[in-house]
Amino acid sequence: ERHGPICTKLFNKKRKPFDSLKQRLQGTDIPLVGKAPNSKPQPVRKSNWRQQHEDFINAIRSAKLCTLAIKEGRPLPPPPPPSINPGVWPVWFAFDILLLNS
């Protein structure tokens, strides 16, 4: 009976979040500085990890075939098809460089 109006009044109000920084700085000479607003949100990068993983697996497989062909004295197999990312060097190209420098 008595607590009904008090509870409705208490639970209808939004509580202000406690600011521990404000309380810590209360007795010091440090001025309270507000947070700077973010100028613009960071762009979300599109991840292509699956394609990179497939390229890596294919490169490893072709490298194994190349080393097996070198050990057995057979001609090298044809290089794997080029990947979508031109910044990644294919393994067969690295083998050619190693063979030329040997």
Side-chain angles (χ1 to χ4, degrees):
E1 299 168 10
R2 292 173 58 190
H3 69 84
I6 295 171
C7 284
T8 56
K9 179 180 166 186
L10 186 69
F11 287 114
N12 285 339
K13 280 197 291 184
K14 285 279 189 181
R15 286 186 66 172
K16 185 173 75 170
F18 180 71
D19 189 8
S20 61
L21 177 68
K22 191 175 185 180
Q23 187 180 20
R24 269 188 280 136
L25 298 178
Q26 214 167 26
T28 62
D29 299 340
I30 302 171
L32 184 63
V33 178
K35 292 182 181 177
N38 291 339
S39 59
K40 59 180 177 179
Q42 295 290 332
V44 178
R45 292 184 186 175
K46 185 177 179 183
S47 176
N48 59 348
W49 66 268
R50 193 177 310 258
Q51 182 62 40
Q52 288 177 346
H53 176 72
E54 290 297 323
D55 291 342
F56 179 69
I57 297 297
N58 291 334
I60 296 297
R61 286 180 182 150
S62 65
K64 286 181 182 179
L65 291 175
C66 284
T67 54
L68 185 65
I70 291 171
K71 282 183 184 178
E72 294 176 354
R74 292 186 286 133
L76 291 177
S83 67
I84 293 175
N85 187 0
V88 178
W89 281 19
V91 173
W92 58 267
F93 184 71
F95 269 114
D96 288 346
I97 292 174
L98 289 174
L99 292 175
L100 291 174
N101 290 338
S102 299

